[in-house]
Amino acid sequence: MSVEVIRATKDAISAVRRTLGLGSCEAPDSRFEIMRATVWSIAAPGSKAHINRVLSAALPTWQILSDRATATEETLRAELRGALSMLEDAGDLIGLSGGYWAPATARFIEIPRGAGYLLVGGVPSALLQLSCDKIQFHGPHRHLAKLPPELASLLPIEDLKSWSRLPNVSLQDWAREVNESHERQPYAPTSADAFEFYLPVKARPGAPQFKRWSEDAGNATGTLLARRRRVYGAREFRLVDVRGGRIVGACELHDVDVRRLMYALDLAGNSPVRARPLRVADQTQWLFTSELPRAEQRALAAFGTLEIPDDRPYERRWTFSRNEGLALDMLRSLGIALGQPPREERR
């Protein structure tokens, strides 16, 4: 057995990148591959890895690849811990009780319109023995333009909707199912009850969703989305039946994406949320002042990058590095009104 001694930092970085199969992956995104490889190596098949052991094992590699001499160990560990959470959202790792982690089953996610595939799961890229130029790294996501023949028969293929948990019905049909499947119970108000009602039809055109809530239902009759703040600040959302502005029936919304329901109500009230394009350097940013539903957030994160300015925490700025047309169609399906790109971009 021979041992190679590497003294120069740049040579150490190159050696680690080759071992991990990082190819063109940029330095900040390499932490995701580090965490995939670390969890995979510690958690043997059918086992799991504790977060303390994972972070301790991954830290030296991240110290090398991040190449930031002034970064503290605390900062680097926090970045790795954040990478674990993002990989869980992406479907690559599974967070278990007690602080344990395990790799998720590897599979391909087919992107519509022949736009390629996502490689999802905890298997490290280096183990797939693909040439480094076949995998494109984007944050915690891995993209492939074509399905490698040598892996096509080994890994299952899912569609984008099932992976991102997008409903298989239109937004309005989904909302109708939610409304019909939740039985309201007779409601007896108490002095402690203080509800707000989501009323997009009363909001100014294009108002962000956080400004569409009202403490007064007026003389409304029908079914409304309502919320109230409970003890210790927790928010509780309900469907309420109102008659002349008074609540006569209510039910809690468990396991329902309330944000999606808000978009359905915007669409029903012909009061769309708006997104405005901004030209930043050589890219287009889409500026929102409302959150997106969970499923769309997951899918769009695979296509682009979300930025929340420190001085404007209510803003959501999306930049799509790939599949922008597909991403914009997903936004339109929510009833979002998209502004026109800058004039020079339309030429």
Coordinates of all heavy atoms in Angstrom, one line a residue, residues 166-250:
L166 N -47.1 17.3 -5.7 CA -48.1 18.2 -6.3 C -49.4 17.4 -6.5 O -49.4 16.2 -6.9 CB -47.6 18.7 -7.7 CG -46.6 19.8 -7.7 CD1 -46.0 19.9 -9.0 CD2 -47.3 21.1 -7.3
P167 N -50.6 17.9 -6.2 CA -51.8 17.2 -6.4 C -52.0 16.9 -7.9 O -51.5 17.6 -8.8 CB -52.9 18.2 -5.9 CG -52.2 19.2 -5.0 CD -50.8 19.3 -5.6
N168 N -52.8 15.8 -8.2 CA -53.0 15.4 -9.5 C -54.3 16.1 -10.1 O -54.7 15.7 -11.2 CB -53.2 13.9 -9.6 CG -51.8 13.2 -9.4 OD1 -50.8 13.6 -10.0 ND2 -51.8 12.1 -8.6
V169 N -54.8 17.0 -9.4 CA -56.0 17.7 -9.9 C -55.7 19.2 -10.0 O -54.7 19.7 -9.4 CB -57.2 17.5 -9.0 CG1 -57.6 16.0 -9.1 CG2 -56.9 17.9 -7.6
S170 N -56.6 20.0 -10.6 CA -56.4 21.4 -10.7 C -56.5 22.0 -9.3 O -57.1 21.4 -8.4 CB -57.4 22.0 -11.6 OG -58.7 22.0 -11.1
L171 N -56.1 23.3 -9.2 CA -56.1 24.0 -7.9 C -57.5 24.1 -7.4 O -57.8 23.9 -6.2 CB -55.5 25.4 -8.1 CG -55.4 26.3 -6.8 CD1 -54.5 25.6 -5.8 CD2 -55.0 27.6 -7.2
Q172 N -58.5 24.4 -8.3 CA -59.9 24.6 -7.9 C -60.5 23.3 -7.5 O -61.3 23.2 -6.5 CB -60.6 25.3 -9.0 CG -60.2 26.8 -9.2 CD -60.9 27.4 -10.4 OE1 -60.9 26.8 -11.5 NE2 -61.5 28.6 -10.2
D173 N -60.2 22.2 -8.2 CA -60.7 20.9 -7.9 C -60.2 20.4 -6.5 O -60.9 19.8 -5.7 CB -60.4 19.9 -8.9 CG -61.2 20.0 -10.2 OD1 -62.3 20.7 -10.1 OD2 -60.8 19.5 -11.3
W174 N -58.9 20.7 -6.3 CA -58.3 20.3 -5.0 C -59.0 21.1 -3.9 O -59.3 20.5 -2.8 CB -56.8 20.7 -5.0 CG -56.1 20.5 -3.7 CD1 -55.5 19.3 -3.2 CD2 -55.9 21.5 -2.7 NE1 -55.0 19.5 -2.0 CE2 -55.2 20.8 -1.6 CE3 -56.2 22.8 -2.6 CZ2 -54.8 21.5 -0.5 CZ3 -55.8 23.5 -1.4 CH2 -55.1 22.8 -0.4
A175 N -59.2 22.4 -4.0 CA -59.9 23.2 -3.0 C -61.3 22.7 -2.8 O -61.7 22.7 -1.6 CB -59.9 24.7 -3.4
R176 N -61.9 22.3 -3.8 CA -63.3 21.8 -3.7 C -63.3 20.5 -2.9 O -64.2 20.3 -2.0 CB -63.9 21.5 -5.1 CG -65.4 21.2 -5.0 CD -66.0 21.0 -6.4 NE -65.8 22.2 -7.2 CZ -64.9 22.3 -8.3 NH1 -64.2 21.3 -8.6 NH2 -64.8 23.5 -8.9
E177 N -62.3 19.6 -3.1 CA -62.2 18.4 -2.3 C -61.9 18.7 -0.8 O -62.5 18.0 0.0 CB -61.1 17.5 -2.9 CG -61.4 16.9 -4.2 CD -60.2 16.1 -4.8 OE1 -59.2 15.9 -4.0 OE2 -60.3 15.6 -5.9
V178 N -61.1 19.6 -0.6 CA -60.8 20.0 0.8 C -62.1 20.5 1.5 O -62.4 20.1 2.6 CB -59.7 21.1 0.9 CG1 -59.6 21.7 2.3 CG2 -58.4 20.5 0.4
N179 N -62.8 21.4 0.8 CA -64.0 21.9 1.3 C -65.1 20.9 1.6 O -65.8 20.9 2.7 CB -64.6 23.0 0.4 CG -65.8 23.7 0.9 OD1 -65.8 24.1 2.1 ND2 -66.8 24.0 0.1
E180 N -65.2 19.9 0.7 CA -66.3 18.9 0.8 C -65.9 17.8 1.8 O -66.8 17.1 2.4 CB -66.6 18.3 -0.5 CG -67.2 19.3 -1.5 CD -67.4 18.7 -2.9 OE1 -66.9 17.6 -3.1 OE2 -68.0 19.4 -3.7
S181 N -64.6 17.6 2.0 CA -64.2 16.4 2.9 C -64.0 16.8 4.3 O -63.8 15.9 5.2 CB -62.8 15.9 2.3 OG -61.8 16.8 2.4
H182 N -64.2 18.1 4.7 CA -64.0 18.5 6.1 C -65.4 18.9 6.6 O -66.0 19.9 6.1 CB -63.1 19.7 6.2 CG -61.6 19.3 6.0 ND1 -61.1 18.9 4.8 CD2 -60.6 19.2 7.0 CE1 -59.8 18.6 5.0 NE2 -59.5 18.8 6.3
E183 N -65.9 18.1 7.5 CA -67.3 18.4 8.0 C -67.2 19.4 9.1 O -66.4 19.3 10.1 CB -67.9 17.1 8.6 CG -69.3 17.2 9.1 CD -69.8 15.9 9.6 OE1 -69.1 14.9 9.5 OE2 -71.0 15.9 10.2
R184 N -68.0 20.5 9.0 CA -68.0 21.5 10.0 C -68.9 21.1 11.1 O -70.0 20.5 10.9 CB -68.5 22.8 9.4 CG -67.3 23.8 9.0 CD -66.7 23.3 7.7 NE -67.4 23.7 6.5 CZ -67.1 23.2 5.3 NH1 -66.1 22.3 5.2 NH2 -67.8 23.6 4.3
Q185 N -68.5 21.5 12.4 CA -69.3 21.2 13.5 C -70.0 22.5 14.0 O -69.4 23.6 13.8 CB -68.4 20.6 14.7 CG -67.8 19.3 14.3 CD -68.7 18.2 14.1 OE1 -69.8 18.1 14.7 NE2 -68.4 17.4 13.1
P186 N -71.1 22.4 14.7 CA -71.8 23.7 15.2 C -70.8 24.4 16.0 O -70.0 23.9 16.8 CB -73.0 23.1 16.0 CG -73.3 21.8 15.4 CD -71.9 21.2 14.9
Y187 N -70.8 25.7 15.9 CA -69.8 26.6 16.6 C -70.5 27.5 17.6 O -71.5 28.2 17.3 CB -69.1 27.4 15.5 CG -68.1 28.4 16.1 CD1 -66.9 28.0 16.6 CD2 -68.4 29.7 16.3 CE1 -66.0 28.8 17.1 CE2 -67.5 30.6 16.8 CZ -66.3 30.2 17.3 OH -65.4 31.0 17.8
A188 N -70.0 27.5 18.8 CA -70.5 28.3 19.8 C -69.4 29.3 20.3 O -68.4 28.9 20.9 CB -71.0 27.5 21.1
P189 N -69.4 30.5 19.9 CA -68.3 31.5 20.1 C -68.2 31.7 21.6 O -69.1 31.7 22.4 CB -68.7 32.7 19.4 CG -70.2 32.7 19.3 CD -70.5 31.2 19.2
T190 N -66.9 32.0 22.0 CA -66.6 32.5 23.4 C -66.0 33.9 23.3 O -65.5 34.3 22.2 CB -65.7 31.5 24.1 OG1 -64.4 31.6 23.5 CG2 -66.2 30.1 24.0
S191 N -65.9 34.5 24.4 CA -65.3 35.9 24.4 C -63.8 35.8 24.1 O -63.3 36.8 23.7 CB -65.5 36.5 25.8 OG -64.9 35.7 26.8
A192 N -63.2 34.7 24.2 CA -61.8 34.6 23.9 C -61.5 34.4 22.4 O -60.3 34.5 22.0 CB -61.1 33.4 24.7
D193 N -62.5 34.0 21.7 CA -62.3 33.7 20.2 C -62.1 35.1 19.5 O -63.0 35.9 19.5 CB -63.4 33.0 19.7 CG -63.4 31.5 20.2 OD1 -62.3 31.0 20.5 OD2 -64.5 30.9 20.2
A194 N -61.0 35.2 18.8 CA -60.8 36.4 17.9 C -60.2 35.9 16.6 O -59.0 35.6 16.5 CB -59.8 37.3 18.6
F195 N -61.0 35.7 15.6 CA -60.6 35.2 14.3 C -60.3 36.3 13.3 O -60.9 37.4 13.4 CB -61.8 34.3 13.7 CG -61.8 32.9 14.3 CD1 -62.7 32.6 15.3 CD2 -61.0 31.9 13.9 CE1 -62.8 31.3 15.9 CE2 -61.0 30.6 14.4 CZ -62.0 30.4 15.4
E196 N -59.5 35.9 12.4 CA -59.2 36.7 11.2 C -59.7 35.9 10.0 O -59.6 34.7 10.0 CB -57.8 37.1 11.0 CG -57.2 38.1 12.0 CD -55.8 38.4 11.8 OE1 -54.9 37.4 11.8 OE2 -55.5 39.6 11.5
F197 N -60.2 36.6 9.0 CA -60.7 35.9 7.8 C -60.0 36.3 6.5 O -59.6 37.4 6.4 CB -62.2 36.3 7.6 CG -63.0 36.0 8.9 CD1 -63.2 37.0 9.8 CD2 -63.6 34.8 9.1 CE1 -64.0 36.8 11.0 CE2 -64.4 34.5 10.2 CZ -64.6 35.6 11.2
Y198 N -59.7 35.3 5.7 CA -59.0 35.5 4.5 C -60.0 36.0 3.4 O -60.8 35.2 2.9 CB -58.3 34.3 4.0 CG -57.3 34.5 2.9 CD1 -56.1 35.3 3.1 CD2 -57.5 34.0 1.6 CE1 -55.2 35.5 2.1 CE2 -56.6 34.3 0.6 CZ -55.5 35.0 0.8 OH -54.6 35.3 -0.2
L199 N -59.9 37.3 3.0 CA -60.9 37.9 2.1 C -60.2 38.5 0.9 O -60.0 39.8 0.9 CB -61.7 38.9 2.9 CG -62.5 38.4 4.1 CD1 -63.2 39.5 4.8 CD2 -63.5 37.4 3.6
P200 N -59.7 37.8 -0.1 CA -59.0 38.4 -1.2 C -59.8 39.3 -2.0 O -59.3 40.2 -2.6 CB -58.5 37.1 -2.0 CG -59.4 36.0 -1.6 CD -59.8 36.3 -0.2
V201 N -61.1 39.1 -2.1 CA -62.0 40.0 -2.9 C -62.0 41.4 -2.3 O -62.4 42.3 -3.0 CB -63.4 39.4 -3.0 CG1 -63.4 38.1 -3.8 CG2 -64.0 39.2 -1.6
K202 N -61.7 41.6 -1.0 CA -61.8 42.9 -0.4 C -60.4 43.6 -0.4 O -60.3 44.7 0.0 CB -62.3 42.8 1.0 CG -63.8 42.4 1.1 CD -64.3 42.5 2.5 CE -65.8 42.3 2.6 NZ -66.3 42.5 4.0
A203 N -59.4 42.8 -0.8 CA -58.0 43.4 -0.8 C -57.8 44.2 -2.1 O -58.5 44.0 -3.1 CB -57.0 42.3 -0.7
R204 N -56.9 45.1 -2.0 CA -56.5 45.9 -3.2 C -55.9 45.0 -4.3 O -55.3 44.0 -3.9 CB -55.6 47.1 -2.9 CG -54.2 46.6 -2.4 CD -53.3 47.9 -2.2 NE -52.0 47.5 -1.6 CZ -51.0 46.9 -2.3 NH1 -51.2 46.7 -3.6 NH2 -49.9 46.6 -1.7
P205 N -56.1 45.2 -5.6 CA -55.5 44.4 -6.6 C -54.0 44.1 -6.4 O -53.2 45.1 -6.2 CB -55.8 45.1 -7.9 CG -57.0 46.0 -7.6 CD -56.8 46.4 -6.1
G206 N -53.6 42.9 -6.5 CA -52.2 42.5 -6.4 C -51.6 42.6 -5.0 O -50.4 42.4 -4.8
A207 N -52.4 42.8 -4.0 CA -51.9 42.9 -2.6 C -51.3 41.6 -2.2 O -51.8 40.5 -2.5 CB -53.0 43.2 -1.6
P208 N -50.2 41.6 -1.4 CA -49.6 40.3 -0.9 C -50.6 39.6 0.0 O -51.5 40.2 0.6 CB -48.3 40.8 -0.2 CG -48.6 42.2 0.1 CD -49.4 42.7 -1.0
Q209 N -50.4 38.3 0.1 CA -51.4 37.5 0.8 C -51.5 37.9 2.3 O -52.6 37.8 2.9 CB -51.1 36.0 0.7 CG -51.4 35.6 -0.7 CD -51.1 34.1 -0.9 OE1 -50.2 33.6 -0.3 NE2 -51.9 33.4 -1.7
F210 N -50.4 38.4 2.9 CA -50.4 38.7 4.3 C -51.3 39.9 4.6 O -51.6 40.2 5.7 CB -49.0 38.9 4.9 CG -48.2 40.0 4.4 CD1 -48.4 41.3 5.0 CD2 -47.3 39.9 3.4 CE1 -47.7 42.4 4.5 CE2 -46.6 40.9 2.9 CZ -46.8 42.2 3.5
K211 N -51.6 40.7 3.5 CA -52.5 41.8 3.7 C -54.0 41.5 3.3 O -54.8 42.5 3.1 CB -52.0 43.0 2.8 CG -50.7 43.6 3.4 CD -50.3 44.9 2.7 CE -49.0 45.5 3.3 NZ -48.7 46.8 2.6
R212 N -54.3 40.3 3.1 CA -55.6 39.9 2.7 C -56.5 39.4 3.8 O -57.5 38.8 3.6 CB -55.6 38.9 1.5 CG -54.8 39.5 0.3 CD -54.8 38.5 -0.8 NE -54.2 39.2 -2.0 CZ -54.4 38.8 -3.3 NH1 -55.3 37.9 -3.5 NH2 -53.9 39.5 -4.3
W213 N -55.9 39.4 5.0 CA -56.7 39.0 6.2 C -57.4 40.2 6.9 O -56.9 41.3 6.9 CB -55.7 38.4 7.2 CG -55.1 37.1 6.8 CD1 -53.9 36.9 6.1 CD2 -55.6 35.8 6.9 NE1 -53.7 35.6 5.8 CE2 -54.7 34.9 6.3 CE3 -56.8 35.3 7.5 CZ2 -54.9 33.5 6.3 CZ3 -57.0 33.9 7.5 CH2 -56.1 33.0 6.9
S214 N -58.6 39.9 7.3 CA -59.4 40.9 8.0 C -60.0 40.4 9.3 O -60.4 39.2 9.4 CB -60.6 41.3 7.0 OG -61.5 42.2 7.6
E215 N -60.2 41.3 10.2 CA -60.8 40.9 11.5 C -62.3 40.9 11.4 O -62.9 40.4 12.4 CB -60.3 41.9 12.6 CG -58.8 41.8 12.9 CD -58.4 42.8 14.0 OE1 -59.3 43.6 14.4 OE2 -57.2 42.8 14.3
D216 N -62.8 41.3 10.3 CA -64.3 41.4 10.2 C -64.7 40.7 8.9 O -64.2 41.0 7.8 CB -64.7 42.9 10.2 CG -66.2 43.1 10.1 OD1 -66.9 42.1 10.2 OD2 -66.7 44.3 9.9
A217 N -65.6 39.8 9.0 CA -66.1 39.1 7.9 C -67.3 39.8 7.2 O -67.8 39.4 6.2 CB -66.7 37.7 8.3
G218 N -67.6 41.0 7.7 CA -68.7 41.8 7.1 C -70.0 41.0 7.2 O -70.4 40.4 8.2
N219 N -70.8 41.1 6.1 CA -72.1 40.4 6.0 C -72.0 39.1 5.2 O -73.0 38.6 4.7 CB -73.1 41.3 5.4 CG -73.4 42.5 6.4 OD1 -73.5 42.3 7.6 ND2 -73.6 43.7 5.8
A220 N -70.8 38.5 5.1 CA -70.5 37.4 4.3 C -71.4 36.2 4.7 O -71.6 36.0 5.9 CB -69.1 37.0 4.3
T221 N -71.8 35.4 3.7 CA -72.5 34.1 4.0 C -71.8 33.1 3.1 O -71.7 33.3 1.9 CB -74.0 34.2 3.6 OG1 -74.6 35.1 4.6 CG2 -74.7 32.9 3.8
G222 N -71.4 32.0 3.7 CA -70.7 30.9 2.9 C -69.6 30.3 3.7 O -69.7 30.4 5.0
T223 N -68.6 29.8 3.1 CA -67.5 29.2 3.7 C -66.2 30.0 3.5 O -65.9 30.4 2.4 CB -67.2 27.8 3.2 OG1 -68.3 26.9 3.3 CG2 -66.0 27.1 3.9
L224 N -65.5 30.3 4.6 CA -64.3 31.1 4.6 C -63.2 30.4 5.3 O -63.4 29.5 6.1 CB -64.6 32.5 5.4 CG -65.7 33.4 4.9 CD1 -65.8 34.6 5.8 CD2 -65.4 33.8 3.4
L225 N -62.0 30.8 4.9 CA -60.8 30.4 5.6 C -60.5 31.4 6.8 O -60.5 32.6 6.6 CB -59.6 30.4 4.7 CG -58.2 30.1 5.3 CD1 -58.2 28.7 5.9 CD2 -57.1 30.3 4.3
A226 N -60.3 30.9 8.0 CA -60.1 31.7 9.1 C -58.9 31.2 9.9 O -58.5 30.1 9.8 CB -61.4 31.7 10.0
R227 N -58.4 32.1 10.7 CA -57.3 31.8 11.6 C -57.4 32.5 12.9 O -58.0 33.6 13.0 CB -55.9 32.1 10.9 CG -55.7 33.6 10.8 CD -54.3 33.9 10.1 NE -54.1 35.4 10.1 CZ -53.0 36.0 9.5 NH1 -52.2 35.2 8.8 NH2 -52.9 37.3 9.6
R228 N -56.7 32.0 13.9 CA -56.6 32.7 15.2 C -55.3 32.3 15.8 O -54.8 31.2 15.5 CB -57.8 32.3 16.1 CG -57.9 30.9 16.5 CD -59.1 30.7 17.5 NE -59.3 29.3 17.8 CZ -60.2 28.8 18.7 NH1 -61.1 29.7 19.2 NH2 -60.3 27.5 19.0
R229 N -54.9 33.1 16.7 CA -53.6 32.9 17.4 C -53.9 32.3 18.8 O -54.7 32.8 19.6 CB -52.8 34.2 17.6 CG -51.4 33.9 18.0 CD -50.6 35.3 17.9 NE -50.5 35.8 16.6 CZ -49.5 35.4 15.7 NH1 -48.7 34.4 16.1 NH2 -49.4 35.9 14.5
R230 N -53.3 31.1 19.0 CA -53.5 30.4 20.3 C -52.5 30.8 21.3 O -51.7 31.7 21.1 CB -53.5 28.9 20.0 CG -54.4 28.4 18.9 CD -55.9 28.6 19.3 NE -56.3 27.7 20.3 CZ -57.4 27.7 21.0 NH1 -58.3 28.7 20.8 NH2 -57.7 26.8 21.9
V231 N -52.6 30.2 22.5 CA -51.6 30.4 23.5 C -50.2 30.1 23.0 O -50.0 29.2 22.3 CB -52.0 29.5 24.7 CG1 -51.0 29.8 25.9 CG2 -53.4 29.8 25.2
Y232 N -49.3 31.0 23.5 CA -47.9 30.9 23.1 C -47.6 31.2 21.6 O -46.6 30.9 21.1 CB -47.3 29.5 23.4 CG -47.5 29.1 24.8 CD1 -48.2 28.0 25.2 CD2 -46.9 29.8 25.9 CE1 -48.4 27.6 26.5 CE2 -47.1 29.4 27.2 CZ -47.8 28.3 27.5 OH -48.0 27.9 28.8
G233 N -48.6 31.8 21.0 CA -48.4 32.4 19.6 C -48.7 31.4 18.5 O -48.5 31.8 17.3
A234 N -49.0 30.2 18.7 CA -49.3 29.3 17.6 C -50.5 29.7 16.9 O -51.5 30.1 17.5 CB -49.4 27.8 18.2
R235 N -50.5 29.5 15.5 CA -51.6 29.9 14.7 C -52.4 28.6 14.4 O -51.9 27.5 14.1 CB -51.2 30.5 13.4 CG -51.0 32.0 13.6 CD -50.7 32.6 12.2 NE -50.6 34.1 12.3 CZ -49.9 34.9 11.5 NH1 -49.3 34.3 10.5 NH2 -49.9 36.2 11.6
E236 N -53.7 28.8 14.4 CA -54.7 27.7 14.1 C -55.5 28.1 12.9 O -56.1 29.2 13.0 CB -55.5 27.4 15.3 CG -56.6 26.4 15.1 CD -57.6 26.3 16.3 OE1 -57.3 25.5 17.2 OE2 -58.6 27.1 16.3
F237 N -55.6 27.3 11.9 CA -56.4 27.6 10.7 C -57.7 26.7 10.7 O -57.6 25.5 11.1 CB -55.6 27.4 9.5 CG -54.5 28.4 9.3 CD1 -53.2 28.1 9.8 CD2 -54.7 29.6 8.6 CE1 -52.2 29.0 9.7 CE2 -53.6 30.5 8.5 CZ -52.4 30.2 9.0
R238 N -58.8 27.3 10.3 CA -60.0 26.6 10.2 C -60.8 27.0 9.0 O -60.7 28.1 8.5 CB -60.9 26.9 11.5 CG -60.4 26.4 12.8 CD -61.4 26.5 13.9 NE -60.9 26.0 15.1 CZ -61.7 25.8 16.2 NH1 -63.0 26.2 16.1 NH2 -61.2 25.2 17.3
L239 N -61.6 26.0 8.5 CA -62.7 26.4 7.6 C -63.9 26.7 8.4 O -64.3 26.0 9.4 CB -63.0 25.2 6.7 CG -62.1 25.0 5.5 CD1 -62.6 23.8 4.7 CD2 -62.0 26.2 4.6
V240 N -64.6 27.8 8.1 CA -65.7 28.3 8.9 C -66.9 28.6 8.0 O -66.7 29.1 6.9 CB -65.4 29.5 9.8 CG1 -64.3 29.2 10.8 CG2 -65.0 30.7 9.0
D241 N -68.1 28.1 8.4 CA -69.3 28.5 7.7 C -69.8 29.8 8.4 O -69.9 29.8 9.6 CB -70.3 27.4 7.8 CG -69.9 26.2 6.9 OD1 -69.2 26.4 6.0 OD2 -70.4 25.1 7.2
V242 N -70.1 30.8 7.6 CA -70.6 32.0 8.2 C -72.0 32.4 7.6 O -72.3 32.0 6.5 CB -69.6 33.2 8.0 CG1 -68.3 33.0 8.7 CG2 -69.4 33.4 6.5
R243 N -72.8 33.0 8.4 CA -74.1 33.5 8.0 C -74.3 34.9 8.4 O -74.3 35.2 9.6 CB -75.2 32.6 8.6 CG -76.6 32.8 8.0 CD -77.6 31.8 8.6 NE -77.2 30.5 8.2 CZ -77.4 29.4 9.0 NH1 -77.9 29.6 10.2 NH2 -77.0 28.2 8.7
G244 N -74.3 35.8 7.5 CA -74.4 37.2 7.8 C -73.2 37.7 8.6 O -73.3 38.6 9.5
G245 N -72.0 37.1 8.3 CA -70.8 37.5 9.0 C -70.5 36.8 10.3 O -69.5 37.0 10.9
R246 N -71.5 36.0 10.8 CA -71.3 35.2 12.0 C -71.0 33.8 11.8 O -71.5 33.1 10.9 CB -72.6 35.3 12.9 CG -72.9 36.7 13.4 CD -74.2 36.7 14.2 NE -74.1 35.9 15.4 CZ -74.7 34.7 15.5 NH1 -75.4 34.2 14.6 NH2 -74.5 34.0 16.7
I247 N -70.0 33.3 12.5 CA -69.6 31.9 12.4 C -70.7 30.9 13.0 O -71.1 31.1 14.1 CB -68.2 31.6 13.1 CG1 -67.1 32.5 12.5 CG2 -67.9 30.1 13.0 CD1 -65.8 32.4 13.2
V248 N -71.1 30.0 12.2 CA -72.1 29.0 12.6 C -71.6 27.6 12.6 O -72.2 26.7 13.2 CB -73.4 29.1 11.8 CG1 -74.1 30.5 12.0 CG2 -73.1 28.8 10.3
G249 N -70.5 27.4 12.0 CA -69.9 26.0 12.0 C -68.4 26.2 11.7 O -68.0 27.1 11.0
A250 N -67.6 25.2 12.1 CA -66.1 25.3 11.9 C -65.5 23.9 12.0 O -66.1 23.0 12.6 CB -65.5 26.2 13.0

